[in-house]
């Protein structure tokens, strides 16, 4: 962490250390048991109200507390599945305290902190909120606890890999969600170079997670930038509260019943945790976890260029196919462009083929003359590609380490240090498919916490390891295989013309007489010849071919744009704090807080324009929140936050809410709130050459650097929208150039923060202590919607061009636009800068959840989710709502079917929906999945055995267009808990 960031935190900590650490004045000890069975209860939380002190019961149900404060004291006794108790302590020495707890299946008793950043009942939360506690996590039906979030109300999830999931709420989902904030123990888990959370790749293991709280909807008024569509808080276990040794092992299998190229593969997962406290003053914990599996295969045959297939009416193959999970077929060329060649020196000449050395064309019938006479059609042709499995690292692994040190400076303050790290291999779907090979992300946090305040500083450090762009590797391998891309297309054209010649066509014939089926046959022949020259993906030659794309002759890494590798070591640093005035003010609830954040972008030119120096981005924010109960039934609350990023104007985000309670357990809530998201670090500073184009940040300096828009020396536009350039290209390929379709780009709009205004109405109530009903409706209005535009720059007519075109009034004048320079797109003339939409975008939705507790401990939960894009669609850009309109989840279980046996079953369904992204556009089919698990307790071994499966019917599906096919995982696991306690 930079010194400028950490110094304020260290000052606060050193000041706190000056407090005198008094000897304990009050001692409390006792035993906690189940009121019905009399059995001692393990792991019950005993907390001292108004302090940071607490402990848990041991294996025999015993506990000890030493408190420096004098009585009276109030203890809060809580355990998941039991009724919460409060106990007054009036003596300095209390021994043999007997606490009996009553098992509770009452719903709606959870306490949450995320909705208002202070503790409150989930029933009276001012906004919609979901919570999973320890029991929910332990009884989830998913093969991984993080994946179980998809079963909660209002949550969508996309998987790029078996170990990489991204969650979203309320529309505009993506595989890298920059509209969502995820906090683990208060630390933002976004990858600094990507600006979106990385799922659970560096989160706590199932042994160390205590709870998860999720707020769907705008939350910038309390959580700042990017808390746009929601916030997730993941809380790990405190070492004081959860002591002892725990271990977990899971063995499973996936790829069951796959195609002939795949067989069932093992899935491994293991974790260990140990925590220990000393004298109620110092505690530590360490965690390690590891998982490995053969990743889900991505095998979609979706063709990005399906609309360009000239033979669709014949049901014949597309010569210009670009399959989303083929790597290398992204390189394309319209054959008609070759007739622009000025001579047969371009390669369309007399050639030989095969071992016989027979002539392709007879003298006087050269390919060039065929081309000049129009025999090369207006058809896009692409290079062949390799299957993704041959190019992407499917060896999914994740190693995570976590450590914590805790020291109680006094009854009122606790100092702690946390370390979180995740390393491994995964896959991410963005504008392309990225193989995140041997990546690493680490976080260090130092925090001082009191009963009514906290101040923390943390840093996030990422390393790209051996990560690379899969399509880049594919294209480079294809180029290497054929010597050059130009060589491929030239020979393809010759083979196409060769076939026409072989069936009797000559250069003097009318090219329009070639039948469509004959053209298809010619393409089939040309591709067959070219495929015969492609290296076998299963050969040693192919492995050598790939290696050459990663290393040059001297053994140096080939990084973007010279090769597919990244070289990123970006970081993010933050310091933040909050103070609750509850000890000073009692007529109103009042909190205030603020944060400072800095990004240090260090991709060495492989992502950003940082080839010489790292790029920094600084921002700060401050907020205040107040709440007041006007009557016993009505509570009003409001908050406002100001944030400033150095590249943009300051943003003010208010939130107003009201909660009305009637009949004690019924609550109606309403809120009006705003949110915003700054353009991502890439949206501000990306400068990435991806061969066919350049991805460009939306700040003014990048528009200026590449001359967007540009004008010729004769004061004519040189920059045009890509869609109009494509229409112009089509007119040329069709033989009748129409420059009137070209649309100049003349009004650059550097990117600005995106904003949302949201109205939410909801009801949450408990009926007869058996049925919990939660309903919410929202309406969102988005302005300055962040998007990307595609632009093409033309060059100017040079003297040489003018001399070659004396009869063309445009091309004979030096300094005029040289339109033909736009026939081929490259990173030199095609740009994708970030900008904002002019029009407003609106969406609405609703969610209904019902939970019912039957007698005997049976639980039934169902929720329904509706999300609808209303208006503001722009036909020229991707609108990426990417959310099914209708979906539902159903679960049924009993965690104590007997004293030792429990079970849970869940079913999830969602309808077909439209997916739009820079990677692919098309439909995601509807799917339904069934998950189930059985848990059996082994009390003598302090362990649980779990047998289960996700998607147990093994009906493969995918959650995003471009994502992998997800099948079943069947598993058995055993968990040992509270050992050595």
């Amino acid at each position: 962490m930079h010194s400028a960031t950490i110094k304020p935190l260290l000052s606060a900590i050193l000041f706190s250390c000056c407090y005198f650490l008094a000897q304990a004045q009050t001692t409390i000890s006792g035993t906690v048991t189940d009121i019905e069975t009399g059995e001692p209860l393990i792991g019950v939380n005993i907390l001292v109200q108004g302090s940071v002190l607490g402990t848990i019961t041991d294996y025999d149900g015993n506990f000890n507390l030493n408190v420096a404060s004098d009585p009276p004291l109030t203890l809060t006794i809580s355990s998941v599945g039991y009724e919460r108790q409060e106990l007054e302590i009036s003596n300095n020495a209390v021994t043999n305290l007997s606490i009996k707890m009553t098992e509770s299946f009452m719903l709606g008793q959870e306490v949450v902190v995320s909705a208002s950043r202070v503790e409150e009942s989930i029933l009276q939360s001012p906004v919609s909120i979901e919570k999973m506690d320890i029991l929910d996590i332990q009884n989830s039906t998913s093969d991984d606890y993080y994946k179980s979030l998809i079963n909660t109300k209002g949550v969508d999830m996309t998987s790029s890999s078996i170990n990489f999931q991204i969650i979203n709420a309320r529309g505009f989902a993506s595989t890298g969600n920059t509209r969502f904030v995820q906090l683990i123990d208060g630390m933002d888990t976004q990858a600094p170079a990507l600006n979106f959370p990385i799922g659970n790749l560096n989160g706590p293991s199932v042994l160390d997670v205590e709870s998860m709280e999720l707020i769907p909807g705008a939350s910038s008024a309390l959580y700042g930038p990017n808390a746009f569509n929601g916030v997730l808080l993941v809380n790990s276990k405190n070492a004081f509260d959860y002591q002892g040794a725990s271990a977990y092992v899971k063995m499973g299998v996936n790829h069951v019943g796959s195609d002939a190229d795949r067989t069932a593969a093992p899935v491994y997962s293991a974790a260990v945790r140990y925590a220990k406290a000393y004298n109620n003053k110092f505690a530590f914990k360490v965690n390690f976890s590891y998982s490995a599996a053969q990743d889900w295969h991505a095998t979609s045959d979706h063709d990005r260029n399906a609309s360009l297939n000239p033979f669709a009416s014949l049901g014949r193959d597309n010569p210009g196919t670009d399959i989303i999970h083929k790597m290398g077929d992204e390189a394309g060329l319209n054959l008609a462009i070759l007739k622009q060649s000025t001579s047969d020196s371009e390669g369309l000449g007399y050639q030989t083929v095969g071992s016989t050395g027979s002539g392709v064309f007879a003298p006087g019938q050269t390919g060039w003359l065929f081309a000049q006479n129009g025999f090369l059609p207006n058809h896009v042709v692409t290079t062949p590609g390799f299957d993704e499995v041959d190019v992407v690292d499917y060896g999914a692994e994740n190693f995570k380490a976590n450590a914590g040190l805790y020291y109680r400076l006094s009854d009122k303050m606790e100092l702690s240090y946390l370390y979180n790290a995740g390393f491994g291999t995964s896959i991410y779907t963005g504008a392309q498919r990225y193989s995140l090979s041997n990546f690493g992300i680490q976080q260090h946090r130092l925090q001082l916490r009191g009963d009514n305040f906290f101040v923390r500083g943390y840093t996030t450090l990422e390393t790209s390891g051996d990560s690379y762009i899969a399509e880049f590797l594919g294209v480079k391998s294809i180029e290497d295989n054929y010597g050059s891309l130009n060589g491929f297309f030239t020979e393809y054209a010759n083979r196409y013309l060769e076939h026409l010649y072989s069936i009797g066509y000559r250069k003097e014939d009318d090219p329009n007489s070639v039948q469509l089926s004959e053209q298809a046959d010619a393409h089939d022949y040309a591709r067959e010849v070219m495929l015969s020259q492609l290296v076998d993906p299963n050969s040693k030659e192919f492995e050598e071919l790939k290696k050459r794309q990663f290393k040059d002759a001297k053994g140096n890494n080939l990084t973007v744009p010279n090769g597919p590798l990244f070289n990123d070591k970006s970081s993010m640093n933050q310091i933040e704090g909050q103070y609750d005035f509850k000890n000073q003010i009692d007529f109103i609830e009042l909190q205030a807080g603020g944060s400072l954040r800095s990004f240090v972008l260090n991709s060495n030119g492989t992502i950003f324009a940082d080839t010489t120096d790292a790029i920094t981005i600084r921002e700060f924010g401050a907020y205040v929140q107040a709440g007041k109960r006007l009557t016993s039934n009505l509570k009003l609350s409001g908050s406002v936050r100001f944030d400033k990023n150095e590249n943009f104007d300051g943003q003010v985000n208010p939130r107003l809410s009201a909660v009305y309670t009637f009949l004690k357990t019924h609550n109606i809530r309403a809120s009006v709130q705003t949110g915003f998201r700054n353009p991502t670090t890439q949206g501000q500073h990306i400068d990435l050459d991806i061969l066919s184009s350049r991805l460009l940040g939306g700040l003014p300096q990048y528009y200026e650097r590449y001359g967007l828009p540009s004008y010729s020396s004769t004061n004519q536009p040189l920059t045009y929208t890509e869609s109009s350039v494509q229409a112009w290209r089509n007119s040329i390929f069709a033989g009748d150039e129409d420059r009137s379709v070209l649309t100049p780009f003349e009004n650059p709009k550097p990117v600005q923060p995106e904003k949302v205004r949201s109205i939410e109405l909801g009801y949450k109530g408990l009926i007869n202590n058996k049925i919990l009903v939660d309903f919410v409706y929202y309406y969102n209005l988005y302005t300055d919607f962040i998007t990307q535009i595609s632009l093409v720059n033309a060059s100017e007519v040079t003297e040489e061009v003018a001399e070659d075109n004396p009869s063309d009034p445009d091309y004979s004048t030096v300094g005029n636009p040289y339109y033909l320079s736009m026939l081929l797109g490259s990173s030199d003339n095609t740009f994708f800068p970030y900008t904002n939409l002019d029009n407003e975008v609106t969406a609405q939705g609703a969610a209904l959840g019902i939970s019912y507790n039957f007698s005997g401990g049976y639980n039934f939960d169902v929720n329904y989710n509706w999300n609808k894009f209303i208006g503001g669609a722009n036909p020229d850009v991707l609108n990426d709502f990417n959310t099914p309109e209708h979906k539902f989840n159903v679960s049924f279980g009993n965690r104590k079917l007997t004293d030792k046996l429990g079970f849970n079953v869940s079913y999830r369904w969602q309808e077909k929906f439209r997916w739009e992204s820079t990677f692919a556009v098309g439909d995601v089919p509807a799917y339904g999945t069934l998950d189930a698990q059985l848990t059996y307790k082994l009390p003598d071994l302090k362990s649980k055995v779990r047998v289960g499966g996700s998607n147990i019917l093994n009906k493969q599906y995918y959650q995003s267009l471009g994502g992998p096919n997800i099948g079943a995982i069947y598993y058995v696991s055993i968990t040992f808990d509270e050992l050595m306690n």
Side-chain angles (χ1 to χ4, degrees):
M1 186 178 296
H2 289 194
S3 60
T5 305
I6 197 65
K7 283 182 179 178
L9 179 61
L10 290 176
S11 298
I13 293 170
L14 290 174
F15 173 79
S16 303
C17 290
C18 294
Y19 278 89
F20 175 72
L21 303 180
Q23 296 295 320
Q25 297 176 351
T26 303
T27 60
I28 309 167
S29 64
T31 303
V32 182
T33 57
D34 185 299
I35 194 170
E36 291 186 2
T37 65
E39 295 179 353
L41 295 179
I42 309 167
V44 177
N45 288 292
I46 316 292
L47 301 177
V48 181
Q49 289 188 11
S51 76
V52 298
L53 297 180
T55 187
I56 62 172
T57 56
D58 61 19
Y59 184 72
D60 296 317
N62 299 320
F63 70 93
N64 289 280
L65 263 177
N66 296 316
V67 186
S69 304
D70 286 320
L73 303 171
T74 301
L75 299 183
T76 298
I77 300 96
S78 62
S79 182
V80 177
Y82 286 86
E83 292 183 7
R84 186 184 181 98
Q85 297 184 35
E86 290 188 356
L87 185 64
E88 295 293 329
I89 301 297
S90 56
N91 299 322
N92 289 86
V94 178
T95 60
N96 299 322
L97 188 63
S98 179
I99 301 174
K100 301 184 184 298
M101 299 194 73
T102 302
E103 193 166 12
S104 172
F105 294 99
M106 186 178 294
L107 298 167
Q109 301 304 301
E110 297 95 334
V111 173
V112 294
V113 296
S114 55
S116 304
R117 300 193 76 147
V118 292
E119 287 190 357
E120 61 188 352
S121 166
I122 193 171
L123 285 176
Q124 298 182 350
S125 168
V127 294
S128 181
I129 186 170
E130 303 293 319
K131 181 174 182 178
M132 292 184 65
D133 59 28
I134 289 179
L135 285 183
D136 294 324
I137 292 167
Q138 291 176 347
N139 294 313
S140 74
T141 55
S142 300
D143 59 279
D144 177 84
Y145 78 86
Y146 189 84
K147 296 178 186 178
S148 64
L149 285 165
I150 196 173
N151 294 319
T152 56
K153 184 170 72 280
V155 175
D156 296 290
M157 181 174 288
T158 59
S159 295
S160 292
S161 169
I162 195 171
N163 59 11
F164 191 8
Q165 287 74 40
I166 295 295
I167 59 175
N168 185 64
R170 299 190 176 177
F172 301 102
S174 68
T175 52
N177 192 0
T178 57
R179 294 179 169 92
F180 195 89
V181 169
Q182 177 176 292
L183 305 174
I184 296 179
D185 293 321
M187 294 182 287
D188 193 327
T189 63
Q190 65 173 287
L194 300 174
N195 266 164
F196 62 80
I198 58 170
N200 200 33
L201 288 173
N202 77 324
S205 74
V206 68
L207 297 178
D208 196 44
V209 64
E210 182 183 48
S211 65
M212 296 189 289
E213 296 181 22
L214 186 139
I215 308 173
S219 303
S220 293
L222 289 179
Y223 291 96
N226 300 352
F228 200 72
N229 279 9
V231 175
L232 172 67
L233 273 67
V234 181
N235 303 305
S236 70
K237 296 176 179 177
N238 187 291
F240 281 106
D241 299 336
Y242 298 89
Q243 298 183 44
S246 303
Y248 163 82
V249 177
K250 180 179 74 177
M251 292 289 294
V253 63
N254 68 343
H255 296 293
V256 176
S258 298
D259 55 50
D261 294 333
R262 282 174 283 163
T263 58
V267 175
Y268 306 100
S269 180
V272 294
R273 179 185 188 272
Y274 182 69
K276 180 68 174 176
Y278 298 92
N279 298 323
N280 208 33
K281 284 291 185 182
F282 172 75
F284 74 92
K285 70 175 181 179
V286 290
N287 295 273
F288 299 99
S289 65
Y290 175 78
S291 64
Q294 183 187 120
D295 215 328
W296 299 122
H297 288 212
T299 59
S300 172
D301 60 358
H302 178 84
D303 182 4
R304 295 187 184 98
N305 292 342
S307 63
L308 303 179
N309 185 2
F311 312 120
S313 62
L314 302 178
R316 301 286 293 273
D317 291 339
N318 181 9
T321 185
D322 179 9
I323 302 299
I324 59 176
H325 291 138
K326 288 274 190 180
M327 304 296 138
D329 64 351
E330 293 78 19
L333 185 77
N334 193 309
L335 288 183
I337 198 175
L338 294 176
K339 70 181 181 181
Q340 304 296 326
S341 303
T342 56
S343 74
D344 63 2
S345 63
E346 299 295 329
L348 290 174
Y350 184 80
Q351 298 188 9
T352 59
V353 63
S355 59
T356 63
S358 60
V360 177
F361 298 109
Q365 300 285 342
T366 66
W368 175 67
L369 292 175
F370 262 67
Q372 287 292 295
N373 204 30
F375 276 93
L376 285 178
N378 179 17
H379 295 167
V380 172
V381 171
T382 54
T383 54
F386 301 106
D387 290 340
E388 182 177 285
V389 67
D390 298 318
V391 176
V392 171
D393 187 348
Y394 274 168
E397 291 184 286
N398 190 199
F399 172 75
K400 296 188 286 190
N402 167 275
L405 302 174
Y406 304 81
Y407 186 73
R408 288 173 174 167
L409 300 170
S410 69
D411 291 355
K412 301 291 185 179
M413 286 185 291
E414 179 183 277
L415 177 65
S416 63
Y417 163 78
L418 275 183
Y419 170 75
N420 288 339
F423 308 93
T425 295
S426 187
I427 301 170
Y428 160 56
T429 308
Q432 298 166 302
R433 289 280 276 177
Y434 301 95
S435 187
L436 306 180
S437 183
N438 301 320
F439 73 89
I441 188 161
Q442 301 179 68
Q443 292 187 296
H444 301 265
R445 190 204 76 180
L446 197 59
Q447 174 178 279
L448 182 66
R449 178 178 67 93
D451 171 57
N452 63 335
F453 78 94
F454 72 81
V455 57
R456 69 171 70 102
Y458 63 91
T459 185
T460 304
L461 309 169
E462 71 177 24
T463 56
S464 56
D466 300 317
S467 299
Y468 58 90
I469 306 174
E471 287 92 339
F472 204 140
L473 174 59
V475 170
K476 283 292 188 180
S477 298
I478 291 291
E479 184 176 19
D480 191 343
N481 183 92
Y482 291 103
S484 70
L485 295 179
N486 286 338
F488 170 87
F489 291 116
T490 299
E491 184 168 357
Y492 185 102
N494 267 299
R495 300 308 177 189
Y496 178 91
L497 296 172
E498 176 189 352
H499 180 80
L500 296 184
Y501 183 81
S502 71
I503 61 175
Y505 286 99
R506 298 296 181 263
K507 65 180 178 63
E508 57 271 13
D509 294 335
D510 180 5
N512 294 320
S513 65
V514 182
Q515 299 298 308
L516 194 63
S517 61
E518 293 174 327
Q519 292 178 346
D521 291 340
H523 278 295
D524 288 346
Y525 172 74
R527 181 156 295 263
E528 182 181 354
V529 172
M530 301 311 294
L531 283 173
S532 70
Q533 303 172 20
L534 186 65
V535 64
D536 182 357
N538 297 313
S539 66
K540 292 183 179 179
E541 290 78 8
F542 180 66
E543 294 304 315
E544 291 299 320
L545 179 70
K546 287 196 298 183
K547 288 179 181 178
R548 290 199 297 271
Q549 314 318 314
F550 289 114
K551 300 279 186 180
D552 63 17
K554 297 181 179 179
N556 299 314
N557 285 341
L558 290 173
T559 57
V560 177
N562 301 310
L565 288 167
F566 292 111
N567 183 16
D568 178 54
K569 294 180 175 62
S570 296
S571 62
M572 182 185 75
N573 309 292
Q574 178 150 330
I575 183 170
E576 61 183 352
Q578 176 179 291
Y579 192 85
D580 189 336
F581 293 89
K582 65 181 182 179
N583 297 333
Q584 292 79 30
I585 303 174
D586 57 9
F587 67 91
I588 194 173
E589 298 173 2
L590 182 64
Q591 300 87 31
S595 63
L596 296 169
R597 174 180 289 182
S598 69
F599 293 95
V600 181
L601 307 181
N602 185 21
S603 74
N604 296 284
T606 61
I607 301 175
F608 305 104
D610 57 352
T611 53
T612 55
D613 296 304
I615 298 171
T616 59
I617 303 174
R618 297 181 178 87
E619 56 190 37
F620 69 88
Y623 62 89
V624 62
Q625 175 178 248
K628 176 68 174 179
R629 186 167 292 280
L630 299 182
T631 69
S632 60
N633 299 97
L634 179 63
K635 181 179 179 180
L636 300 180
S637 61
S639 59
V640 62
R641 179 176 174 121
F642 175 79
D643 286 274
K644 178 69 174 72
N645 180 292
E646 64 176 297
N647 294 320
F648 309 106
D649 294 336
Q651 303 292 320
V652 177
N653 286 273
R655 182 180 84 177
L656 295 173
S657 63
V659 179
Y660 181 77
T661 303
F662 61 99
L663 300 178
K664 296 184 179 180
T665 60
H666 300 268
N667 302 272
I668 297 175
R669 62 182 184 273
S671 66
V672 179
Q673 52 190 320
T674 59
F676 81 103
R677 70 180 185 106
N678 287 323
T680 65
T681 51
Q682 293 190 23
Q684 296 178 54
H685 287 289
I686 194 171
D687 191 350
L688 179 59
D689 182 342
I690 58 171
L691 300 182
S692 62
S693 60
R694 182 176 293 274
L695 306 181
L696 207 59
L699 295 179
Q701 59 262 38
Y702 296 104
Y703 281 84
E704 296 168 3
R705 176 179 297 178
Y706 293 98
L708 303 175
S710 292
Y711 296 89
S712 71
S713 55
T714 57
N715 201 32
Q716 297 184 62
L718 291 176
T719 306
Y720 301 91
T721 62
E722 193 273 339
S723 58
S724 72
V725 170
Q726 190 58 53
W728 166 78
R729 289 171 181 163
N730 291 337
S731 71
I732 288 184
F733 299 146
D736 185 18
E737 181 182 5
D738 182 7
R739 296 177 190 170
S740 67
V741 300
L742 289 170
T743 303
F745 172 70
E746 296 180 313
N747 297 304
K749 295 181 179 178
V751 71
Q752 294 294 320
E754 181 179 331
K755 307 174 188 68
V756 63
R757 285 173 285 173
S758 179
I759 297 174
E760 179 180 307
L761 301 173
Y763 162 81
K764 182 173 284 188
L766 188 61
I767 303 172
N768 296 328
N769 292 331
K770 289 288 186 180
I771 303 175
L772 179 66
V773 179
D774 189 1
F775 172 78
V776 61
Y777 167 81
Y778 73 89
Y779 178 89
N780 287 348
L781 173 66
Y782 302 86
T783 55
D784 292 321
F785 200 84
I786 296 175
T787 187
Q788 288 176 271
I789 52 175
S790 181
L791 306 173
V792 182
N793 266 2
S795 63
E796 293 188 2
V797 172
T798 63
E799 291 184 2
E800 181 180 1
V801 171
E803 291 174 0
D804 291 339
N805 297 274
S807 60
D808 189 310
D810 290 322
Y811 291 168
S812 62
T813 303
V814 175
N816 272 359
Y818 184 43
Y819 300 108
L820 289 179
S821 66
M822 298 189 296
L823 275 176
L824 290 177
S826 71
S827 58
D828 293 327
N829 71 349
T830 306
F831 305 92
F832 285 88
Y834 283 80
T835 187
N836 303 86
L837 292 182
D838 291 328
N839 49 301
E840 294 182 337
V841 176
T842 53
Q844 65 178 335
L848 172 66
I850 299 175
S851 298
Y852 182 70
N853 277 353
F854 296 91
S855 59
Y858 291 93
N859 304 300
F860 175 79
D861 294 276
V862 61
N863 63 68
Y864 164 76
N865 304 270
W866 174 65
N867 295 282
K868 181 69 173 177
F869 182 82
I870 303 175
N874 188 319
D876 295 325
V877 300
L878 298 172
N879 295 289
D880 63 10
F881 189 68
N882 297 343
T883 304
E885 183 173 354
H886 304 284
K887 69 172 187 174
F888 67 83
N889 302 280
V890 180
S891 66
F892 178 70
N894 189 332
R895 65 184 179 86
K896 294 190 69 174
L897 187 63
T898 69
D899 289 342
K900 296 181 179 180
L901 183 66
F903 78 96
N904 202 5
V905 179
S906 62
Y907 179 77
R908 180 174 68 255
W909 177 89
Q910 66 179 45
E911 70 172 353
K912 181 178 76 172
F913 67 97
R914 184 73 169 172
W915 182 272
E916 296 184 5
S917 71
T918 52
F919 184 76
V921 176
D923 290 335
V924 174
Y927 71 85
T929 65
L930 182 66
D931 303 343
Q933 62 92 4
L934 286 171
T935 301
Y936 189 77
K937 296 180 180 179
L938 302 172
D940 293 341
L941 297 177
K942 301 182 182 179
S943 64
K944 295 179 181 179
V945 175
R946 188 180 186 199
V947 178
S950 59
N951 190 17
I952 59 176
L953 301 181
N954 201 22
K955 295 181 178 180
Q956 291 195 359
Y957 66 95
Y958 50 90
Q959 295 172 323
S960 64
L961 190 59
N965 300 327
I966 302 172
I969 296 180
Y970 306 102
Y971 62 86
V972 59
S973 69
I974 183 168
T975 302
F976 298 91
D977 209 359
E978 303 294 338
L979 302 173
M980 301 169 59
N981 189 7

